[in-house]
Amino acid sequence: MDKKVYELINDQINAELYSAYLYMSFADYYEEEGLQGYANYYMIQAAEERDHALIFRNYLHDNGEKIKLGAIGQPDKEFTDFMGPLEAAGEHERYITARINAIYAAAAEVKDYRCMKFLDWFIDEQMEEETHADDMITKMRLFGSDAKALYDLDREYASRVYVTPSPLANA
Ligand code: OFO
């Protein structure tokens, strides 16, 4: 595998594990504030991010590469209102999208069609995650100041269930 493509994918394992850690910190915030539905949503998101790390890990192994795991950074955001984590999530997902695009660009440069095909799933996934993040911001903006509406929103997020991402389910 091309060295640059390898390094970017190996680093992405760390970025996905950091995403899991970050979303767990969001879940902690909501749990501590009494919004168990939002906490559930972000704990499931954290599980999905861990899965994304595993998908990249499997890809490197399937291609005969070794994994180099690095230290995971500390989530350092302090939140003062319910909107805070939602906006941070939108920002973070756009950052991750840029990283996936950078891997894709590096793979395209060396005509690594296998890698480009592998990344297609992540490109779709990032679009979905950005849409969800924006949707959560919109709903909080529209309804967050009304206690009953916030209660309903929290119940909606309490219903999110974990589903194994297809690249892992089919591995
Ligand atoms: Fe890993 O899915 Fe978004 O960040």
Side-chain angles (χ1 to χ4, degrees):
M1 185 182 296
D2 174 74
K3 192 166 179 305
K4 185 176 174 194
V5 174
Y6 164 78
E7 292 290 350
L8 288 170
I9 293 179
N10 192 72
D11 287 351
Q12 193 61 26
I13 295 173
N14 188 280
E16 299 290 345
L17 290 173
Y18 173 76
S19 301
Y21 210 28
L22 182 72
Y23 286 131
M24 196 161 84
S25 79
F26 294 3
D28 290 340
Y29 167 76
Y30 286 119
E31 184 96 38
E32 288 153 19
E33 292 292 325
L35 289 175
Q36 260 100 16
Y38 281 86
N40 171 67
Y41 183 94
Y42 281 114
M43 281 310 287
I44 288 170
Q45 190 60 35
E48 281 199 0
E49 298 298 348
R50 185 271 325 268
D51 288 347
H52 296 168
L54 295 180
I55 296 166
F56 281 111
R57 172 187 178 272
N58 291 350
Y59 182 76
L60 287 185
H61 277 164
D62 288 348
N63 282 275
E65 301 286 349
K66 287 196 158 83
I67 313 293
K68 288 184 284 182
L69 291 178
I72 301 169
Q74 180 183 18
D76 57 358
K77 291 216 186 313
E78 295 285 333
F79 300 114
T80 52
D81 59 32
F82 300 149
M83 183 64 103
L86 307 182
E87 286 177 338
E91 199 181 305
H92 183 70
E93 286 307 329
R94 275 178 268 282
Y95 163 70
I96 294 293
T97 297
R99 292 185 64 112
I100 301 286
N101 288 346
I103 306 172
Y104 196 96
E109 207 174 310
V110 296
K111 298 188 167 53
D112 186 344
Y113 301 115
R114 179 190 296 170
C115 184
M116 290 157 72
K117 188 164 187 289
F118 163 72
L119 290 170
D120 280 346
W121 183 87
F122 282 97
I123 290 168
D124 291 344
E125 176 72 7
Q126 282 308 121
M127 167 127 181
E128 201 178 289
E129 290 190 347
E130 282 186 33
T131 303
H132 282 153
D134 290 345
D135 183 60
M136 290 176 85
I137 291 169
T138 303
K139 285 180 172 165
M140 180 62 80
R141 187 177 296 132
L142 287 173
F143 312 119
S145 58
D146 178 79
K148 170 72 172 80
L150 183 61
Y151 178 78
D152 288 343
L153 274 181
D154 194 55
R155 283 181 48 150
E156 179 183 328
Y157 297 126
S159 68
R160 184 180 185 188
V161 290
Y162 170 79
V163 179
T164 309
S166 57
L168 265 195
N170 305 330

